[in-house]
Amino acid sequence: MMTRLRLSDCGLSTGKRARLQRILYQHGLRNGTALFLPYDQGLEHGPRDFFDNPDSADPRYIVRLAVEGGFNGIAVQIGLAEKFYWDFAGEVPLVLKLNGKTDIPSDHHALSPLHATVEDAVRLGADAVGYTLYVGTPAHEADFTQFHRVRQDARRFGMPLIVWAYPRGEAVDAKGGKDSFYAVHYAARVASELGADVVKVNFPHPEKRAGVPAPYAGEYSSQDAIDAVVRAANRTLVLISGGGRADDEAMLDKAQESMAAGATGLIFGRNVWQRDHDESLRFIDRLREVLAKHPTP
């Protein structure tokens, strides 16, 4: 089991550390681990994600679920934050997503434009901001330039910056795919090198080896791969995404391996709110049981 980062290890400014302290130790299990509820899929995927549980189309239902489930934060786009978060302000931390795109065009030249600012996040009482960075896209120059401006503002306002580090583009597809060990490992390192305070990545799949660079063509267990991903982020906190809804036991195994690797926590959306209300709460309890076994020392 790897040692989990403490906030004192991360080189944070006073404002950033105070906000992350609030997220990690005044909400959720209050033990330095985190469970976040993302709800930006209405923009990123469209309303199709709400068919399994029609109640999930209502943002009030989702924010209430975040409060009931004891989440450390909820991540939403600015329109929903302005229209719905104020009903629950202070009850669950807000992560304001600053950029986003639809999935109507292909991801071959993926770029997620800005829709909000760090100043908006301060105005809304957010404790962190989120930025989607597409690692490997041919549009990386514009993406990196846009991210640089966000990073400067986050530093100026003392706002923690969570990077959704997502490999995308034809070159990524040709080298194992977006959730290969190679791609996820690279994405975690890029986010750290560019100044993320927290990085969100998908769980790596070492069995996806077609076209990957030589070091990744060997045999690795899933634990080997997630250990390496967390190490690659060095002094950047790591959140592991749940991704699309899958088998419960497989999701819990993924959560256990992630926490054993030293990840700070989990960010599970569709795997939670695509269920009916009571089933969602039961699954949340099982995720919290995993986190409770791995407190930050």
mmCIF file of all heavy atoms in Angstrom, residues 9 11 24 31 44-45 65 69 73 110 118 179 184 195 207 243 247 254 261 263 267 282 285 288 290 295:
data_model
loop_
_atom_site.group_PDB
_atom_site.id
_atom_site.type_symbol
_atom_site.label_atom_id
_atom_site.label_comp_id
_atom_site.label_asym_id
_atom_site.label_seq_id
_atom_site.Cartn_x
_atom_site.Cartn_y
_atom_site.Cartn_z
ATOM 1 N N ASP A 9 2.166 18.242 1.842
ATOM 2 C CA ASP A 9 3.165 17.757 0.872
ATOM 3 C C ASP A 9 3.056 18.440 -0.487
ATOM 4 O O ASP A 9 3.912 18.219 -1.350
ATOM 5 C CB ASP A 9 2.988 16.248 0.634
ATOM 6 C CG ASP A 9 3.163 15.416 1.882
ATOM 7 O OD1 ASP A 9 4.009 15.783 2.716
ATOM 8 O OD2 ASP A 9 2.454 14.395 2.021
ATOM 9 N N GLY A 11 2.699 21.756 -1.685
ATOM 10 C CA GLY A 11 3.154 23.082 -2.101
ATOM 11 C C GLY A 11 2.030 24.043 -2.425
ATOM 12 O O GLY A 11 2.124 24.834 -3.368
ATOM 13 N N LEU A 24 -11.766 18.120 2.218
ATOM 14 C CA LEU A 24 -11.302 16.795 2.634
ATOM 15 C C LEU A 24 -11.555 16.478 4.100
ATOM 16 O O LEU A 24 -11.646 15.293 4.468
ATOM 17 C CB LEU A 24 -9.807 16.649 2.344
ATOM 18 C CG LEU A 24 -9.390 16.718 0.869
ATOM 19 C CD1 LEU A 24 -7.877 16.651 0.748
ATOM 20 C CD2 LEU A 24 -10.045 15.611 0.062
ATOM 21 N N ASN A 31 -11.709 12.381 6.612
ATOM 22 C CA ASN A 31 -10.473 11.666 6.937
ATOM 23 C C ASN A 31 -9.378 11.887 5.894
ATOM 24 O O ASN A 31 -8.409 11.131 5.831
ATOM 25 C CB ASN A 31 -10.750 10.167 7.099
ATOM 26 C CG ASN A 31 -11.144 9.481 5.797
ATOM 27 O OD1 ASN A 31 -11.406 10.146 4.787
ATOM 28 N ND2 ASN A 31 -11.198 8.156 5.813
ATOM 29 N N GLU A 44 -21.709 17.162 -21.805
ATOM 30 C CA GLU A 44 -20.682 16.339 -22.444
ATOM 31 C C GLU A 44 -21.263 15.182 -23.263
ATOM 32 O O GLU A 44 -20.697 14.801 -24.288
ATOM 33 C CB GLU A 44 -19.728 15.782 -21.383
ATOM 34 C CG GLU A 44 -18.948 16.854 -20.619
ATOM 35 C CD GLU A 44 -17.865 17.519 -21.447
ATOM 36 O OE1 GLU A 44 -17.509 16.968 -22.511
ATOM 37 O OE2 GLU A 44 -17.380 18.580 -21.029
ATOM 38 N N HIS A 45 -22.381 14.614 -22.808
ATOM 39 C CA HIS A 45 -22.965 13.446 -23.484
ATOM 40 C C HIS A 45 -24.366 13.695 -24.006
ATOM 41 O O HIS A 45 -24.865 12.931 -24.834
ATOM 42 C CB HIS A 45 -23.026 12.245 -22.524
ATOM 43 C CG HIS A 45 -21.737 11.901 -21.882
ATOM 44 N ND1 HIS A 45 -21.658 11.251 -20.675
ATOM 45 C CD2 HIS A 45 -20.458 12.111 -22.277
ATOM 46 C CE1 HIS A 45 -20.389 11.077 -20.356
ATOM 47 N NE2 HIS A 45 -19.640 11.596 -21.303
ATOM 48 N N LEU A 65 -28.949 14.508 -3.716
ATOM 49 C CA LEU A 65 -28.281 13.214 -3.569
ATOM 50 C C LEU A 65 -26.857 13.394 -3.058
ATOM 51 O O LEU A 65 -26.378 12.607 -2.225
ATOM 52 C CB LEU A 65 -28.275 12.485 -4.920
ATOM 53 C CG LEU A 65 -27.662 11.081 -4.950
ATOM 54 C CD1 LEU A 65 -28.448 10.113 -4.067
ATOM 55 C CD2 LEU A 65 -27.607 10.563 -6.389
ATOM 56 N N GLY A 69 -25.807 11.725 0.338
ATOM 57 C CA GLY A 69 -24.769 10.711 0.244
ATOM 58 C C GLY A 69 -23.472 11.085 0.924
ATOM 59 O O GLY A 69 -22.552 10.265 0.985
ATOM 60 N N GLY A 73 -17.921 16.860 -2.650
ATOM 61 C CA GLY A 73 -18.140 17.946 -3.595
ATOM 62 C C GLY A 73 -18.968 17.473 -4.769
ATOM 63 O O GLY A 73 -19.062 16.270 -5.046
ATOM 64 N N ALA A 110 -10.154 17.280 -30.413
ATOM 65 C CA ALA A 110 -10.923 17.714 -29.249
ATOM 66 C C ALA A 110 -10.336 18.968 -28.600
ATOM 67 O O ALA A 110 -9.125 19.083 -28.403
ATOM 68 C CB ALA A 110 -10.973 16.592 -28.224
ATOM 69 N N VAL A 118 -12.579 31.662 -13.069
ATOM 70 C CA VAL A 118 -12.292 31.451 -11.650
ATOM 71 C C VAL A 118 -13.010 32.506 -10.810
ATOM 72 O O VAL A 118 -13.495 32.210 -9.706
ATOM 73 C CB VAL A 118 -10.773 31.475 -11.395
ATOM 74 C CG1 VAL A 118 -10.478 31.299 -9.905
ATOM 75 C CG2 VAL A 118 -10.070 30.390 -12.214
ATOM 76 N N ASP A 179 -8.005 4.890 -22.639
ATOM 77 C CA ASP A 179 -7.878 4.408 -21.264
ATOM 78 C C ASP A 179 -6.815 3.317 -21.135
ATOM 79 O O ASP A 179 -6.815 2.530 -20.190
ATOM 80 C CB ASP A 179 -9.226 3.913 -20.726
ATOM 81 C CG ASP A 179 -9.851 2.817 -21.574
ATOM 82 O OD1 ASP A 179 -9.289 2.504 -22.644
ATOM 83 O OD2 ASP A 179 -10.904 2.284 -21.170
ATOM 84 N N VAL A 184 -3.247 6.909 -19.928
ATOM 85 C CA VAL A 184 -3.621 7.434 -18.608
ATOM 86 C C VAL A 184 -2.382 7.839 -17.817
ATOM 87 O O VAL A 184 -2.364 8.876 -17.141
ATOM 88 C CB VAL A 184 -4.460 6.405 -17.838
ATOM 89 C CG1 VAL A 184 -4.778 6.901 -16.434
ATOM 90 C CG2 VAL A 184 -5.755 6.092 -18.591
ATOM 91 N N GLY A 195 0.735 22.041 -13.766
ATOM 92 C CA GLY A 195 0.355 22.817 -12.598
ATOM 93 C C GLY A 195 -0.986 22.495 -11.972
ATOM 94 O O GLY A 195 -1.522 23.302 -11.203
ATOM 95 N N GLU A 207 -4.038 -4.080 -20.304
ATOM 96 C CA GLU A 207 -4.210 -5.095 -21.353
ATOM 97 C C GLU A 207 -4.384 -4.474 -22.735
ATOM 98 O O GLU A 207 -4.292 -5.171 -23.751
ATOM 99 C CB GLU A 207 -5.412 -5.988 -21.023
ATOM 100 C CG GLU A 207 -6.780 -5.349 -21.220
ATOM 101 C CD GLU A 207 -7.237 -4.475 -20.055
ATOM 102 O OE1 GLU A 207 -6.417 -4.230 -19.138
ATOM 103 O OE2 GLU A 207 -8.400 -4.034 -20.060
ATOM 104 N N GLY A 243 -16.201 6.351 -14.590
ATOM 105 C CA GLY A 243 -16.530 6.094 -15.987
ATOM 106 C C GLY A 243 -17.993 5.713 -16.147
ATOM 107 O O GLY A 243 -18.843 6.044 -15.319
ATOM 108 N N ASP A 247 -20.448 -3.230 -13.783
ATOM 109 C CA ASP A 247 -20.718 -4.166 -12.700
ATOM 110 C C ASP A 247 -20.242 -3.600 -11.362
ATOM 111 O O ASP A 247 -19.126 -3.080 -11.248
ATOM 112 C CB ASP A 247 -19.994 -5.478 -12.993
ATOM 113 C CG ASP A 247 -20.094 -6.461 -11.856
ATOM 114 O OD1 ASP A 247 -21.172 -7.046 -11.680
ATOM 115 O OD2 ASP A 247 -19.093 -6.612 -11.133
ATOM 116 N N LYS A 254 -12.044 -1.704 -8.517
ATOM 117 C CA LYS A 254 -11.291 -0.573 -9.054
ATOM 118 C C LYS A 254 -11.064 0.484 -7.978
ATOM 119 O O LYS A 254 -9.963 1.046 -7.862
ATOM 120 C CB LYS A 254 -12.045 0.020 -10.249
ATOM 121 C CG LYS A 254 -11.399 1.234 -10.877
ATOM 122 C CD LYS A 254 -11.971 1.547 -12.243
ATOM 123 C CE LYS A 254 -13.390 1.998 -12.240
ATOM 124 N NZ LYS A 254 -13.832 2.445 -13.574
ATOM 125 N N ALA A 261 -3.326 2.325 -4.109
ATOM 126 C CA ALA A 261 -2.231 2.944 -4.854
ATOM 127 C C ALA A 261 -1.847 4.312 -4.302
ATOM 128 O O ALA A 261 -0.818 4.869 -4.692
ATOM 129 C CB ALA A 261 -2.615 3.075 -6.324
ATOM 130 N N ALA A 263 -4.258 6.994 -4.231
ATOM 131 C CA ALA A 263 -5.149 8.042 -4.731
ATOM 132 C C ALA A 263 -5.838 8.734 -3.561
ATOM 133 O O ALA A 263 -6.065 8.133 -2.509
ATOM 134 C CB ALA A 263 -6.194 7.451 -5.665
ATOM 135 N N ILE A 267 -14.201 9.816 -8.116
ATOM 136 C CA ILE A 267 -15.198 10.728 -8.666
ATOM 137 C C ILE A 267 -16.126 9.888 -9.536
ATOM 138 O O ILE A 267 -15.803 9.539 -10.664
ATOM 139 C CB ILE A 267 -14.538 11.923 -9.393
ATOM 140 C CG1 ILE A 267 -15.589 12.851 -9.976
ATOM 141 C CG2 ILE A 267 -13.501 11.479 -10.405
ATOM 142 C CD1 ILE A 267 -15.033 14.229 -10.339
ATOM 143 N N ARG A 282 -27.263 3.009 -1.422
ATOM 144 C CA ARG A 282 -26.601 1.763 -1.008
ATOM 145 C C ARG A 282 -25.228 1.645 -1.653
ATOM 146 O O ARG A 282 -24.253 1.232 -0.994
ATOM 147 C CB ARG A 282 -27.468 0.556 -1.359
ATOM 148 C CG ARG A 282 -28.697 0.389 -0.472
ATOM 149 C CD ARG A 282 -29.331 -0.978 -0.645
ATOM 150 N NE ARG A 282 -29.896 -1.159 -1.975
ATOM 151 C CZ ARG A 282 -31.142 -0.845 -2.313
ATOM 152 N NH1 ARG A 282 -31.960 -0.308 -1.413
ATOM 153 N NH2 ARG A 282 -31.593 -1.062 -3.542
ATOM 154 N N ASP A 285 -22.768 4.004 -0.003
ATOM 155 C CA ASP A 285 -22.293 3.454 1.269
ATOM 156 C C ASP A 285 -21.150 2.466 1.045
ATOM 157 O O ASP A 285 -20.182 2.434 1.821
ATOM 158 C CB ASP A 285 -23.436 2.755 2.010
ATOM 159 C CG ASP A 285 -24.402 3.730 2.660
ATOM 160 O OD1 ASP A 285 -24.035 4.922 2.814
ATOM 161 O OD2 ASP A 285 -25.523 3.305 3.007
ATOM 162 N N ARG A 288 -18.050 4.435 0.280
ATOM 163 C CA ARG A 288 -17.545 5.053 1.509
ATOM 164 C C ARG A 288 -16.828 4.024 2.389
ATOM 165 O O ARG A 288 -15.854 4.361 3.084
ATOM 166 C CB ARG A 288 -18.691 5.730 2.260
ATOM 167 C CG ARG A 288 -19.153 7.025 1.603
ATOM 168 C CD ARG A 288 -20.506 7.488 2.126
ATOM 169 N NE ARG A 288 -20.488 7.746 3.549
ATOM 170 C CZ ARG A 288 -20.190 8.933 4.111
ATOM 171 N NH1 ARG A 288 -19.864 9.959 3.344
ATOM 172 N NH2 ARG A 288 -20.225 9.095 5.412
ATOM 173 N N VAL A 290 -14.998 1.613 1.294
ATOM 174 C CA VAL A 290 -13.653 1.508 0.719
ATOM 175 C C VAL A 290 -12.785 2.669 1.195
ATOM 176 O O VAL A 290 -11.650 2.484 1.643
ATOM 177 C CB VAL A 290 -13.708 1.465 -0.818
ATOM 178 C CG1 VAL A 290 -12.308 1.535 -1.408
ATOM 179 C CG2 VAL A 290 -14.438 0.214 -1.301
ATOM 180 N N PRO A 295 -7.644 6.030 5.290
ATOM 181 C CA PRO A 295 -7.532 7.432 5.703
ATOM 182 C C PRO A 295 -6.155 7.990 5.404
ATOM 183 O O PRO A 295 -5.166 7.252 5.334
ATOM 184 C CB PRO A 295 -7.785 7.380 7.218
ATOM 185 C CG PRO A 295 -7.363 5.986 7.598
ATOM 186 C CD PRO A 295 -7.743 5.114 6.443
#
